[in-house]
Amino acid sequence: MLDQTNVAPIAQIQGLRVEFQTKDGPVVGVENVSFDINPGETVCVVGESGSGKSVSSLSLMRLVEYGGGEIAGGRLLFDRSNGDQIDLAETSTSDMRRIRGNEIGMIFQEPMTALNPVFTVGKQLTEGLRLHKGMSKRAAEARALELMTQVRIPEPERRLKQYPHELSGGMRQRVVIAMALACEPRLLIADEPTTALDVTIQAEILALMDRLKRETGTAVMFITHDMAVVAQMADRVVVMYRGNKVEEGTVQEIFEDPQHGYTKALLAAVPKLGEMTGRQYPEPMKLLGSEDKPIEPIKGTEEVLLEVKNLTTRFPVKGGFFRRTVANVHAVEDLSFTINKGQTLSLVGESGCGKSTAGRSILRLVEPQSGSINLGGKDIMALNQRDLRTARLDMQMIFQDPFASLNPQMQLADQVAEPIYNFGTLKGKAVQERVEMLFDRVELPRSFMRRFPHELSGGQRQRVAIARALALNPKLIIADEAVSALDVSVQAQVLNLMMELQQEMGLSFLFISHDMAVVERVSHYVGVMYLGRIVEWGTRSQVFENPLHSYTQALMKAVPIADPRKRKDEKDLNFKPIPSPIHSTRYVAEPSEYVEVDPGHHLLVTDSGY
Amino acid sequence: MLTFTLRRLILSIPTLLFISFIIFGLLQLAPGDPMAQVPLTVPPEVKQKMREALGLGAPWYVQYYKWLIQFFWIEPKIFIDYLTNTSFLLGWLPDTSFYNGELRVISWQTRSPVMDIVIQRMPQTLWVVGLSYLVGIVIAIPIGIYSAYRHYSVFDQAGTFVTMVGFSIPPFFTGPLLIVIFSVYLGWLPSIYDTTHVVTDWESFKVQFYQMIMPVMVLALQTTAQISRYMRGAMLDNLNQDYVRTARAKGLREGVVVMVHVLRNSMIPVVTVIALGMPAIFGGAIITENVFKVNGIGQLLLTALFANDLPMVMTLTFIFAILIVLFNLIADILYGLLDPRIRYD
Amino acid sequence: DGHEGERGRDGEVKIIYWQAPSILNPYLSGGTKDLESASLVLEPMGRYDETGALVPYLAAEIPTVENGGVSEDLTSITWKIADGMQWSDGTPVTSADLVFTAEYCMHPEGGCAQASKFDGVSSVEAIDDMTVKVTFSEAKPNPYGPFMGAQSPILQKAQFADCLGAKAPECTEANFNPIGTGPFTVTEFRPNDVITMAANENFRHEGKPAFASLTFKGGGDAVAAGRAVMETGEFDYAWNMQLAPDVLAKMAEAGKGTPISAFGTLVERIEMNMTNPSPDLPEGERSTVAHPHPILSDFNVRKALSMAIDRPLLVEVGYGQAGRPTCNLVPAPALYASDNTECLTQDIEGAKALLEEAGWTDTDGDGVREKDGMKLSLLYQTSTNAVRQDFQALIKDWWSQIGVETELRNLDASVFFGGDPGSPDTFQKFYADVEMYANNFDGTDPQAYLSAYRCGNEPKPSSQWQGENINRFCNEEYDTLLDELSRTGELDKRGEIAKRLNEIITKDTMTIVPLVDRGRVSAASNTLGGVILNTWDSELWNVADWYRMK
Amino acid sequence: MTEQAIPASPIEADIETFGALVDKEPQKPPRSQWKDVWDQFRKHKGAVFGGGFLLFITLGVIFGPWLWDVDPKTLDIRNKNWRPIYTLLWDDAAKAGWAHPFGTDQLGRDILAQMIAGGRVSMAVGWLAMALALLIGTAIGVVSGYFKRLDFLLMRFTDLVLSLPILPLTLLAVTLFRQPLNARFGPEGGMFILIVGIIGLTSWMQTARIVRGDILALKEREFILAARSIGTTSGKIIRRHLLPNVISPIMVSATLGLATAIITESALSFLGVGFPSDYPTWGKLLADAVQRMQDFPERVLLPGIAISLTVLSVNYLGDGLRDALDPRIRGR
Ligand SMILES: Nc1ncnc2c1ncn2[C@@H]1O[C@H](COP(=O)(O)OP(=O)(O)OP(=O)(O)O)[C@@H](O)[C@H]1O
Ligand SMILES: Nc1ncnc2c1ncn2[C@@H]1O[C@H](COP(=O)(O)OP(=O)(O)OP(=O)(O)O)[C@@H](O)[C@H]1O
Ligand SMILES: [Mg+2]
Ligand SMILES: [Mg+2]
Ligand code: NI
């Protein structure tokens, strides 16, 4: 599908310019962007975080206006299904309404806030269907169920009746995807659709979108920072940088013969699975522009910092008219691991397997049912609220959804400085300096210190969250998908920053991620989670080079490779239905038992459900 | 939720007992005398005799105990008897006769059972105050929604202006003003509400309608102002949320976006305001009822207060307290139902 | 002009009382609203007419010493029921009903509001079916207490037989729907709201009442009631139009109705506290005779305060046609009313001079006089009521002109007139220097009224702050005269003594400073005929004669 | 990793520092958030009008007595019932003149002076009572929404206060506290404190319920979780994260509360438990004038307009403040 010149493009963006009014005067979100999208084609838009990807896509939907933006110039030509060509920038709102959701579907970047908290998933999914397709309630529900299955949400029937906050980040993301796909739009805009997903599901979603494209000729505008995904999906690639398009070409051209410096730098920063093979310890990446820095492996110590034993966290499921507890979500089930000082344990696993819950349980942000948590000799489970607060001085968390975890009413500088004020670790001017330093380190311009969360791009928000976690110099950071929303170049820098800090200060990380390449880069140990349990854990090399559990093996196989010539075929992936973590209140979970295959390499022997 | 509701219901019994005790104490301590309205020509000894006949001489705990028994034991018996004997709903049940002539809660002013009067007063209060509440809500919600949606439009400004002026002018002014305009100058509407009027046909319905217009409107003005303000505020808070963008991206009509997605979220605080205002319906509207001579519960309470008719005041206040506790419970339950994120356990 | 005709020819008449009746049994409530609404149904043996003269209703004639109805020694009175008197249910009125009525009110546990009417009654016995003799334990110069006037109508024994004493309040049905002899019968009684009545088919006068039905609405305020009669014409008669004269006049301009007024014995007055109300005194000694008032004990101050007041102006501002300036506590009937008019002209200069003379001088130039370090500063309290507040403002202004500082306080009427001994704000406790309110007496005889100021009758802690001598007035001459009055039966002589008593307490001692003789004002529709306002009995005393003018 | 030289490109300069976003403009010195709030506030026409009018009224009632030094309590019965000066425009014969620009009442007291004096009291009562109610309401609402354990107790307490009959309560308070307060603050000062106290203490319940409701929902948001994870104490969570997010209902309560307080004050005077009768307040001027509404409409209109405009101004002020405090709106 490389040669489509004879087909008229479905959408043409010509010289788009978008401005935002902020208190410091107008800010340009997109300066000058032009590219076409042809039917049945996937155009991947890559680029630095904050380069205007989301804004361009929102402009195409004419939704920037509602966020305070204004299309200051350019044309957005769109081919209606009946063959008319219209300029979206000038279309009436009523026409826009018929196009939105029906002819153009959009997947939003941040799934938590993108869903209405008070409606069930089912209601939000069927809404568009009933509107555009005129389906009956029943038909729409059947279709919704089908969509939920397509995006591989476990137990779709029940999920339809759940509220957004009851789903894991990945599930919410998939709901948003399902919503965008619902009406089989002719143009699908996907803004970082798989960022929150683990590789297996990502692979499935990508396959799904690919299939859709092939079968219905849907054009896809795919925004991502993940070059591997680009390689996997794209027909053509548009590279954006600071509000401009800097390069455009077919996927082969971009990967094999990048022209622009930024594209090169981008490709250089992509972590590749297998890069670390043979190395015992993680080490920072070599980055363009800092080649001369010596690369030192990070050894860490063998001293145990955090010891988690038999951690179990369950959520009650309410049902019936009186909303009684009818069952429990066994989000984390008999979880045990240790983290050494100065080392990183990565938790990987499919979406909804309980990674975030595990992380939160350690901080006791959700109260675990049972288990013990020991941080540097302190029994976290035994602490009262006051001591718990001081204990949190040593452990910090970066939340999965950066937007939701930032107070919409507070300036970013204050939010980053807040932990410092809380514990009074610094006083007076030093606070300001520290905040500035943190902004510099996470590569955010200082002028952002006075902005509010909604004025940032997704990746920028994530960096604010990282800066906040670093503010206290904690001993342990639980990084829940901390870098998944970042573009690769920044991701590489942030990863390097984290490793640097680890080297310097002996920080430990519990690194929750789905990006296997990143995990390989940063971890000393890796734990693979499935259905609330760790199915395999050992050193990085043990897990990556010798995966024993069948789930781990499937996971490894699903990792996309940043090379357009090594695309995975849908047939290679074997998808297994995901069992439910929900059990009736009477259910007794069996304990996890492990065998030590190699020294330090543990394998779950009891049934994992996989 | 069931356990929550049950627990709250059970806990509300001691709460109410405590409230009744506090109200009783307050009324006992407050100055005032049921003899205040007896003319000065009646000599003090006679007044003293009258007081004793009312049971005023007894120590407070005896009075309180008597009231408790009467209210919680004897009155319910009468109510059950009524239900099984004559009521339409349960009249088919075998007739009971639990009540055998014990002393009921007796009003000092009228020397008749308080509950009978309350029941007699219910219809007009419910009609006028209840209807005004309904009208108020029905007007307020669209105003609030539209004002927020067209933030700072002419409509918003005008709506704000009218509602705030309406709210800041007390009913003891608006009431007579309307009367002067519509009853005195124009002669369209009656200035005095006829509580004995019965609606039997279209003509009598029109009469009823005419006499209700003014009191309902005066009261509705207050409700409208209040609820539309809260509504507008809540809508403004929600209109900027991300999920609204999602809803728009689905191609929903603005109407649906606003009326379904935003409204549901914004209704959460407003529903509480509405629920909390409910007891006030049964409590009547003291000033407005008085101005238009609607003579509902509010007027009853006012006259009882002025006459220091403690059993009446006590019983009315306490019924009011029960309603408040009940509606707060309902508000809490609604809250949990409207916002799935809120947990009550 | 439509006077005559058959019963019920004029349809409906509507009466509005801005205070709503709560019960129709006058023996259980002293409230005017209750008495007057009950007077439509229940009737006494005789009533006072608009001149204060006695008129027989159920009685064949009014018993007097002359006609032998009253014994020479004034210790008994014999009432004879006229022939053919019937209850509205058709049964005859008999002496048993009278005897029962007396029994009902005199029952010790009944809490009868009209007990004072039966004061001194030693027995009530039926001589025969139609005759009842009331015997008093001592001579009663005014024996017309029982069975006379709106306060003491006859109850039907058959209806109230089971309602004696403690059982009185349980007879709700009887209390709300009493069977009477009056022109109307109760159709429905809604306490504190509305009463609907129908003409009494067994009423003794042929062709009366002219109205077939009557609606008696309660609630609202005087303005609204006046409006309903005079401006919108929705009602025919409104009671007690206590409104500023200009407001009333304005309403009358609308042309649908007219205010009518008549004078009785109600006098708005300022009472001087002869005892010290200072909060510095221990509780239980404030406002008691143990501590004379530091300022008001001085006659000159009291006199000066009175002189500074412009009574005609007060009337003009507050009552208009419904008020007359007066210097008397007993302004009527003529027999008992003193002709003192000395106080009617304001004399600011005279008042100043008087104070100056008495040693009250403004030494520090702050406009307030002092004497012996004591500032001439008074606390002036009254109940809350628009006219009274205007009076307060005016009087405060005049007093400030003579160098008296005044602090005003107005209290809720239910507190102020309530006798709650626990409240510091009752008029009996008198925790203020001067207070203003109105009072009158029942019927035409002032004896009981004047006896209130007997030495020792003052409210005090030992009497639970009950007592009628509000000023804590104590004067030997006065007490001697009172005794004489109670022994005197001869009317002219009684008049002499009463006038003297009145002057002692007002003119001579300035203990009570009368301001306004307040009449009754009501409003009647211009189409309503036969209304005669009566201040000596129920205003609705002659409702049977009302008719609709064509 | 490839380490080749970077070819020239249109935005070569940026590549040097690639990755890191730099400010396009020189960095401005950090400004306080309140300055932004103020900037936004200034842009809000209604708020500026409201604020301006409030300032005008406040200054007017504070300094009015110096400009218009007629004593509001002085009676001048011969010059009663003057009409306001503007009636001369259409009626030459009207009793009016510059001596009493707003006319006089039925006792000849100058209405302008009364308006000024009444404004002082009404404004003071309104503001203080509203502030008191807001303070209590917000405090109770926040505490009971945030601390589950106190919720039941506090909400039942709210129920209790809601069900207390206000008139007997006021009478009781007057009986109990008038003496001591009078002794300490004088009859007017004492009454003032009493009235402010009573109104404030009996009108916070709605605010409390609404704030509590909002807090209950906010508490479940993730940024509160995040705040806890960085060791923010409950007190600070409330102050920094919760309160700014419930500002909108609080503002509404404030506006409605001011109006209610001013009116309740007049109702209290009306029932005879308020200020001494010769102590004018807007509410009382209005209540007293209702009787003569037809003949002297200005007597109801003047205080009525004063109350309405004040309430309206506070409302606009609240709106402006609310918008200014919401960064999503402020950005525009
Ligand atoms: N409402 C807003 N007000 C001010 N500036 C904004 C606003 N929304 C976006 N921007 C700015 O516009 C620029 C482009 O943002 P955009 O969201 O398109 O980035 P992006 O390419 O999607 O980045 P990411 O990959 O991190 O999501 C950013 O610099 C951002 O700070
Ligand atoms: N508040 C909650 N109430 C009920 N169930 C919940 C709640 N939070 C999480 N869960 C459930 O717990 C399970 C684990 O969720 P968790 O968020 O830990 O997943 P995760 O591994 O972080 O997934 P992802 O990678 O998608 O973020 C999911 O089935 C989810 O639906
Ligand atoms: Mg983006
Ligand atoms: Mg997660
Ligand atoms: Ni390289």
Side-chain angles (χ1 to χ4, degrees), chain B residues 33 39 41 111 121 191 193 195 293 295 306, chain C residues 28 30 169 191 193 217-218 224 234 419:
Chain B
D33 177 16
T41 45
R111 315 293 174 105
R121 291 303 176 93
S191 71
Y193 187 95
T195 45
K293 275 68 70 183
N295 293 356
F306 281 131
Chain C
L28 292 183
D193 179 13
K217 173 85 180 178
E234 285 165 85

PDB file of all heavy atoms in Angstrom, chain B residues 33 39 41 111 121 191 193 195 293 295 306, chain C residues 28 30 169 191 193 217-218 224 234 419:
ATOM      1  N   ASP B  33     -44.784  32.603  77.534  1.00  0.00           N
ATOM      2  CA  ASP B  33     -45.787  32.068  78.422  1.00  0.00           C
ATOM      3  C   ASP B  33     -47.067  31.895  77.608  1.00  0.00           C
ATOM      4  O   ASP B  33     -47.452  32.786  76.861  1.00  0.00           O
ATOM      5  CB  ASP B  33     -46.008  33.093  79.548  1.00  0.00           C
ATOM      6  CG  ASP B  33     -47.091  32.657  80.500  1.00  0.00           C
ATOM      7  OD1 ASP B  33     -47.460  31.475  80.483  1.00  0.00           O
ATOM      8  OD2 ASP B  33     -47.567  33.520  81.262  1.00  0.00           O
ATOM      9  N   PRO B  39     -55.977  38.325  77.675  1.00  0.00           N
ATOM     10  CA  PRO B  39     -55.953  39.776  77.925  1.00  0.00           C
ATOM     11  C   PRO B  39     -55.509  40.107  79.354  1.00  0.00           C
ATOM     12  O   PRO B  39     -55.657  39.300  80.263  1.00  0.00           O
ATOM     13  CB  PRO B  39     -57.405  40.184  77.719  1.00  0.00           C
ATOM     14  CG  PRO B  39     -58.058  39.074  77.018  1.00  0.00           C
ATOM     15  CD  PRO B  39     -57.282  37.849  77.260  1.00  0.00           C
ATOM     16  N   THR B  41     -56.858  41.869  81.305  1.00  0.00           N
ATOM     17  CA  THR B  41     -57.976  41.997  82.223  1.00  0.00           C
ATOM     18  C   THR B  41     -58.181  40.734  83.046  1.00  0.00           C
ATOM     19  O   THR B  41     -58.812  40.760  84.094  1.00  0.00           O
ATOM     20  CB  THR B  41     -59.267  42.275  81.446  1.00  0.00           C
ATOM     21  OG1 THR B  41     -59.321  41.388  80.336  1.00  0.00           O
ATOM     22  CG2 THR B  41     -59.314  43.691  80.942  1.00  0.00           C
ATOM     23  N   ARG B 111     -56.750  23.199  72.584  1.00  0.00           N
ATOM     24  CA  ARG B 111     -57.148  22.064  73.429  1.00  0.00           C
ATOM     25  C   ARG B 111     -57.579  20.885  72.580  1.00  0.00           C
ATOM     26  O   ARG B 111     -58.494  20.157  72.935  1.00  0.00           O
ATOM     27  CB  ARG B 111     -58.289  22.430  74.375  1.00  0.00           C
ATOM     28  CG  ARG B 111     -58.145  23.737  75.075  1.00  0.00           C
ATOM     29  CD  ARG B 111     -56.999  23.698  76.043  1.00  0.00           C
ATOM     30  NE  ARG B 111     -56.809  25.020  76.605  1.00  0.00           N
ATOM     31  CZ  ARG B 111     -57.168  25.361  77.828  1.00  0.00           C
ATOM     32  NH1 ARG B 111     -57.703  24.487  78.615  1.00  0.00           N
ATOM     33  NH2 ARG B 111     -56.950  26.577  78.273  1.00  0.00           N
ATOM     34  N   ARG B 121     -53.779  20.727  58.202  1.00  0.00           N
ATOM     35  CA  ARG B 121     -53.019  21.772  57.537  1.00  0.00           C
ATOM     36  C   ARG B 121     -52.209  21.278  56.346  1.00  0.00           C
ATOM     37  O   ARG B 121     -51.776  22.065  55.516  1.00  0.00           O
ATOM     38  CB  ARG B 121     -52.040  22.419  58.527  1.00  0.00           C
ATOM     39  CG  ARG B 121     -52.697  23.239  59.603  1.00  0.00           C
ATOM     40  CD  ARG B 121     -53.550  24.307  58.970  1.00  0.00           C
ATOM     41  NE  ARG B 121     -54.279  25.081  59.970  1.00  0.00           N
ATOM     42  CZ  ARG B 121     -53.820  26.211  60.487  1.00  0.00           C
ATOM     43  NH1 ARG B 121     -52.680  26.688  60.115  1.00  0.00           N
ATOM     44  NH2 ARG B 121     -54.533  26.868  61.367  1.00  0.00           N
ATOM     45  N   SER B 191     -56.529  38.194  47.191  1.00  0.00           N
ATOM     46  CA  SER B 191     -55.389  38.440  48.073  1.00  0.00           C
ATOM     47  C   SER B 191     -55.415  37.504  49.257  1.00  0.00           C
ATOM     48  O   SER B 191     -54.462  37.401  50.002  1.00  0.00           O
ATOM     49  CB  SER B 191     -55.393  39.884  48.560  1.00  0.00           C
ATOM     50  OG  SER B 191     -56.445  40.073  49.479  1.00  0.00           O
ATOM     51  N   TYR B 193     -56.163  33.616  50.596  1.00  0.00           N
ATOM     52  CA  TYR B 193     -56.280  32.240  50.146  1.00  0.00           C
ATOM     53  C   TYR B 193     -57.420  31.573  50.884  1.00  0.00           C
ATOM     54  O   TYR B 193     -57.546  31.693  52.095  1.00  0.00           O
ATOM     55  CB  TYR B 193     -54.958  31.544  50.444  1.00  0.00           C
ATOM     56  CG  TYR B 193     -54.830  30.149  49.900  1.00  0.00           C
ATOM     57  CD1 TYR B 193     -54.215  29.925  48.669  1.00  0.00           C
ATOM     58  CD2 TYR B 193     -55.266  29.052  50.616  1.00  0.00           C
ATOM     59  CE1 TYR B 193     -54.071  28.650  48.175  1.00  0.00           C
ATOM     60  CE2 TYR B 193     -55.128  27.774  50.130  1.00  0.00           C
ATOM     61  CZ  TYR B 193     -54.527  27.580  48.894  1.00  0.00           C
ATOM     62  OH  TYR B 193     -54.375  26.308  48.419  1.00  0.00           O
ATOM     63  N   THR B 195     -58.788  28.408  52.216  1.00  0.00           N
ATOM     64  CA  THR B 195     -58.346  27.035  52.487  1.00  0.00           C
ATOM     65  C   THR B 195     -59.498  26.042  52.407  1.00  0.00           C
ATOM     66  O   THR B 195     -59.271  24.846  52.339  1.00  0.00           O
ATOM     67  CB  THR B 195     -57.723  26.935  53.875  1.00  0.00           C
ATOM     68  OG1 THR B 195     -58.555  27.635  54.796  1.00  0.00           O
ATOM     69  CG2 THR B 195     -56.342  27.525  53.907  1.00  0.00           C
ATOM     70  N   LYS B 293     -52.258  34.533  53.747  1.00  0.00           N
ATOM     71  CA  LYS B 293     -53.236  33.839  54.593  1.00  0.00           C
ATOM     72  C   LYS B 293     -53.463  32.400  54.135  1.00  0.00           C
ATOM     73  O   LYS B 293     -54.588  31.922  54.073  1.00  0.00           O
ATOM     74  CB  LYS B 293     -54.576  34.599  54.611  1.00  0.00           C
ATOM     75  CG  LYS B 293     -54.674  35.708  55.608  1.00  0.00           C
ATOM     76  CD  LYS B 293     -53.784  36.869  55.296  1.00  0.00           C
ATOM     77  CE  LYS B 293     -54.224  37.662  54.075  1.00  0.00           C
ATOM     78  NZ  LYS B 293     -53.303  38.752  53.750  1.00  0.00           N
ATOM     79  N   ASN B 295     -52.408  29.858  55.676  1.00  0.00           N
ATOM     80  CA  ASN B 295     -52.677  29.095  56.886  1.00  0.00           C
ATOM     81  C   ASN B 295     -52.305  27.621  56.784  1.00  0.00           C
ATOM     82  O   ASN B 295     -53.109  26.737  57.016  1.00  0.00           O
ATOM     83  CB  ASN B 295     -54.148  29.219  57.283  1.00  0.00           C
ATOM     84  CG  ASN B 295     -54.495  30.625  57.700  1.00  0.00           C
ATOM     85  OD1 ASN B 295     -53.614  31.485  57.750  1.00  0.00           O
ATOM     86  ND2 ASN B 295     -55.734  30.875  58.009  1.00  0.00           N
ATOM     87  N   PHE B 306     -46.082  32.258  68.839  1.00  0.00           N
ATOM     88  CA  PHE B 306     -46.490  33.483  69.506  1.00  0.00           C
ATOM     89  C   PHE B 306     -47.368  33.193  70.709  1.00  0.00           C
ATOM     90  O   PHE B 306     -47.349  33.917  71.693  1.00  0.00           O
ATOM     91  CB  PHE B 306     -47.209  34.413  68.530  1.00  0.00           C
ATOM     92  CG  PHE B 306     -46.246  35.156  67.660  1.00  0.00           C
ATOM     93  CD1 PHE B 306     -46.404  35.220  66.298  1.00  0.00           C
ATOM     94  CD2 PHE B 306     -45.147  35.784  68.231  1.00  0.00           C
ATOM     95  CE1 PHE B 306     -45.504  35.887  65.507  1.00  0.00           C
ATOM     96  CE2 PHE B 306     -44.233  36.456  67.448  1.00  0.00           C
ATOM     97  CZ  PHE B 306     -44.414  36.501  66.079  1.00  0.00           C
TER      98      PHE B 306
ATOM     99  N   LEU C  28     -62.255  28.447  77.920  1.00  0.00           N
ATOM    100  CA  LEU C  28     -60.919  27.860  77.858  1.00  0.00           C
ATOM    101  C   LEU C  28     -59.909  28.801  77.235  1.00  0.00           C
ATOM    102  O   LEU C  28     -58.747  28.470  77.101  1.00  0.00           O
ATOM    103  CB  LEU C  28     -60.960  26.540  77.085  1.00  0.00           C
ATOM    104  CG  LEU C  28     -61.712  25.418  77.799  1.00  0.00           C
ATOM    105  CD1 LEU C  28     -61.637  24.136  76.996  1.00  0.00           C
ATOM    106  CD2 LEU C  28     -61.159  25.191  79.202  1.00  0.00           C
ATOM    107  N   GLY C  30     -58.933  33.114  76.902  1.00  0.00           N
ATOM    108  CA  GLY C  30     -59.322  34.483  77.179  1.00  0.00           C
ATOM    109  C   GLY C  30     -59.150  35.368  75.975  1.00  0.00           C
ATOM    110  O   GLY C  30     -59.485  36.551  76.011  1.00  0.00           O
ATOM    111  N   PRO C 169     -60.233  19.794  78.211  1.00  0.00           N
ATOM    112  CA  PRO C 169     -59.542  19.831  76.927  1.00  0.00           C
ATOM    113  C   PRO C 169     -59.834  18.628  76.037  1.00  0.00           C
ATOM    114  O   PRO C 169     -59.556  18.664  74.844  1.00  0.00           O
ATOM    115  CB  PRO C 169     -58.060  19.868  77.306  1.00  0.00           C
ATOM    116  CG  PRO C 169     -57.974  19.631  78.752  1.00  0.00           C
ATOM    117  CD  PRO C 169     -59.341  19.691  79.349  1.00  0.00           C
ATOM    118  N   PRO C 191     -59.131  25.116  63.430  1.00  0.00           N
ATOM    119  CA  PRO C 191     -58.448  25.941  64.422  1.00  0.00           C
ATOM    120  C   PRO C 191     -57.361  26.810  63.788  1.00  0.00           C
ATOM    121  O   PRO C 191     -56.633  26.353  62.907  1.00  0.00           O
ATOM    122  CB  PRO C 191     -57.855  24.925  65.392  1.00  0.00           C
ATOM    123  CG  PRO C 191     -57.971  23.601  64.720  1.00  0.00           C
ATOM    124  CD  PRO C 191     -59.099  23.700  63.765  1.00  0.00           C
ATOM    125  N   ASP C 193     -57.498  28.948  61.662  1.00  0.00           N
ATOM    126  CA  ASP C 193     -57.577  29.175  60.229  1.00  0.00           C
ATOM    127  C   ASP C 193     -58.916  29.809  59.857  1.00  0.00           C
ATOM    128  O   ASP C 193     -58.981  31.022  59.681  1.00  0.00           O
ATOM    129  CB  ASP C 193     -57.362  27.848  59.506  1.00  0.00           C
ATOM    130  CG  ASP C 193     -57.440  27.990  58.002  1.00  0.00           C
ATOM    131  OD1 ASP C 193     -57.420  29.137  57.513  1.00  0.00           O
ATOM    132  OD2 ASP C 193     -57.497  26.963  57.308  1.00  0.00           O
ATOM    133  N   LYS C 217     -62.577  34.214  58.652  1.00  0.00           N
ATOM    134  CA  LYS C 217     -61.209  33.844  58.288  1.00  0.00           C
ATOM    135  C   LYS C 217     -60.227  34.463  59.284  1.00  0.00           C
ATOM    136  O   LYS C 217     -60.416  35.590  59.740  1.00  0.00           O
ATOM    137  CB  LYS C 217     -60.909  34.365  56.881  1.00  0.00           C
ATOM    138  CG  LYS C 217     -59.475  34.206  56.409  1.00  0.00           C
ATOM    139  CD  LYS C 217     -59.211  32.853  55.812  1.00  0.00           C
ATOM    140  CE  LYS C 217     -57.775  32.718  55.337  1.00  0.00           C
ATOM    141  NZ  LYS C 217     -57.488  31.400  54.793  1.00  0.00           N
ATOM    142  N   GLY C 218     -59.184  33.728  59.592  1.00  0.00           N
ATOM    143  CA  GLY C 218     -58.177  34.264  60.506  1.00  0.00           C
ATOM    144  C   GLY C 218     -56.811  34.245  59.863  1.00  0.00           C
ATOM    145  O   GLY C 218     -56.564  33.510  58.910  1.00  0.00           O
ATOM    146  N   ALA C 224     -53.217  43.574  55.773  1.00  0.00           N
ATOM    147  CA  ALA C 224     -53.842  42.692  54.795  1.00  0.00           C
ATOM    148  C   ALA C 224     -55.345  42.618  55.016  1.00  0.00           C
ATOM    149  O   ALA C 224     -56.128  42.621  54.062  1.00  0.00           O
ATOM    150  CB  ALA C 224     -53.222  41.310  54.897  1.00  0.00           C
ATOM    151  N   GLU C 234     -62.837  41.812  49.154  1.00  0.00           N
ATOM    152  CA  GLU C 234     -63.053  40.376  49.281  1.00  0.00           C
ATOM    153  C   GLU C 234     -63.800  40.026  50.562  1.00  0.00           C
ATOM    154  O   GLU C 234     -64.446  38.992  50.649  1.00  0.00           O
ATOM    155  CB  GLU C 234     -61.702  39.657  49.296  1.00  0.00           C
ATOM    156  CG  GLU C 234     -61.028  39.573  47.950  1.00  0.00           C
ATOM    157  CD  GLU C 234     -59.564  39.198  48.095  1.00  0.00           C
ATOM    158  OE1 GLU C 234     -59.283  38.011  48.177  1.00  0.00           O
ATOM    159  OE2 GLU C 234     -58.714  40.114  48.166  1.00  0.00           O
ATOM    160  N   GLY C 419     -46.322  35.625  81.390  1.00  0.00           N
ATOM    161  CA  GLY C 419     -45.971  35.796  82.799  1.00  0.00           C
ATOM    162  C   GLY C 419     -44.843  34.889  83.237  1.00  0.00           C
ATOM    163  O   GLY C 419     -44.714  34.609  84.421  1.00  0.00           O
TER     164      GLY C 419
END
